[in-house]
Structure formats: structure tokens, C-alpha cells
């Protein structure tokens, strides 16, 4: 396998849009949600990435499993001299660890979506309209189309 660009064969890759494959409804957390709340939503729903929205419902970041795990490990390291229970009870908000927002337009084509996700090493990406998440595209949505 060469290190060149990925090419999808057939017309399917260029006709399928984000709106055609995205999962809905979108679950999100606000910037003031605790990491524990974000972790609960991720775990309960089997998500890998969760949109972070402001008070107007506009996308302002992403929280991933990796970012969440990193924040918890950093917190435990920071409070290593305190009893474990005390360190865990110090609440952190999503605002502290949210990644910059990455989003797709509903009309983005599958080829562009897959290429962007590979380049940015993302497992899922929100689809937005007027800055508000309306769906999520993950590899679970993309792979069945690529396998046709």
C-alpha cells in the first residue's frame, strides 16, 4: 500500500453526502458540563466523540475519549499527594479539555469526509447547520458505503 491519497472507486463516493449517512439526533454537552458528565454520555451511548456546545447550542469544541482519559490521568498526577478520593472529587469542566471544533457541512461528500477524518485522525465529526450540530458522521456510517 502506498502512502498516497486514498481513492474510492465508483460513483458512490462522490454522490453520498454527510446528510445521507449522518446519525441523528445529536447528543452534546455544554462547555460547563463536568468531565464526569461527558464520560457518562460517551459511555452510555457508545460514542467516541461528543460535540461541545455553547449556551446558544453552537459548536465550540469536541470532547473525545482520548481527551477525557488524558484529563483524568493529568488530574490524578496533579493531585498525586492527595488521597485518591479527594483528587477524583475535584470537578473539571469540559471547557478545560475540549478540542477545537471540527465540523462538516451537510453537503460534504463522502470522499472529503473520509479524507479529512483520516488526516485529522478523528473517529467521528459533527455535521452542522448555522453552527449548530445536526448530526454526526463516524466510521460506522462511512464504512458500509465504502464496502459496497
Amino acid at each position: 500500500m502506498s502512502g498516497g491519497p486514498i481513492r474510492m472507486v465508483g460513483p458512490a463516493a462522490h454522490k453520498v453526502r454527510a446528510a445521507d449517512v449522518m446519525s441523528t439526533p445529536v447528543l452534546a454537552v455544554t462547555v460547563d458540563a463536568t468531565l464526569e458528565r461527558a464520560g457518562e454520555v460517551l459511555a452510555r451511548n457508545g460514542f467516541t466523540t461528543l460535540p461541545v456546545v455553547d449556551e446558544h447550542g453552537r459548536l465550540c469544541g469536541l470532547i473525545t475519549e482520548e481527551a477525557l482519559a488524558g484529563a483524568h490521568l493529568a488530574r490524578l498526577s496533579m493531585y498525586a499527594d492527595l488521597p485518591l478520593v479527594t483528587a477524583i472529587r475535584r470537578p473539571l469542566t469540559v471547557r478545560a479539555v475540549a478540542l477545537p471544533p471540527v465540523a462538516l457541512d451537510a453537503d460534504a461528500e463522502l470522499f472529503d469526509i473520509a479524507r479529512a477524518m483520516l488526516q485529522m485522525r478523528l473517529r467521528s465529526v459533527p455535521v452542522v447547520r448555522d453552527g449548530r450540530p445536526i448530526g454526526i458522521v463516524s466510521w460506522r456510517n462511512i464504512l458500509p458505503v465504502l464496502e459496497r
Side-chain angles (χ1 to χ4, degrees):
M1 182 169 155
S2 72
I6 294 175
R7 295 189 181 268
M8 292 182 251
V9 289
H14 294 288
K15 291 186 180 180
V16 177
R17 302 171 308 123
D20 299 327
V21 297
M22 69 184 186
S23 298
T24 59
V26 178
L27 294 180
V29 292
T30 64
V31 292
D32 296 322
T34 64
L35 294 184
E36 288 73 19
R37 173 69 181 137
E40 288 170 9
V41 175
L42 285 169
R44 186 174 350 111
N45 295 285
F47 296 159
T48 60
T49 306
L50 199 56
V52 178
V53 296
D54 64 16
E55 62 275 4
H56 304 290
R58 290 190 187 94
L59 183 69
C60 60
L62 301 174
I63 189 77
T64 64
E65 292 173 314
E66 293 86 359
L68 194 62
H72 284 302
L73 290 174
R75 179 173 54 176
L76 290 174
S77 295
M78 188 176 6
Y79 299 112
D81 59 329
L82 298 175
L84 183 61
V85 172
T86 304
I88 290 174
R89 288 196 177 147
R90 292 182 187 252
L92 286 177
T93 64
V94 169
R95 181 186 317 264
V97 297
L99 304 173
V102 174
L104 301 168
D105 181 85
D107 290 326
E109 291 184 357
L110 187 68
F111 175 83
D112 297 323
I113 297 166
R115 182 176 54 200
M117 287 175 64
L118 285 170
Q119 288 174 346
M120 292 185 265
R121 305 187 80 192
L122 296 171
R123 295 171 70 186
S124 59
V125 179
V127 178
V128 297
R129 181 178 295 129
D130 299 323
R132 291 177 175 83
I134 60 168
I136 298 281
V137 174
S138 72
W139 287 114
R140 287 182 217 159
N141 304 111
I142 293 174
L143 289 175
V145 177
L146 296 179
E147 293 171 351
R148 288 185 198 159

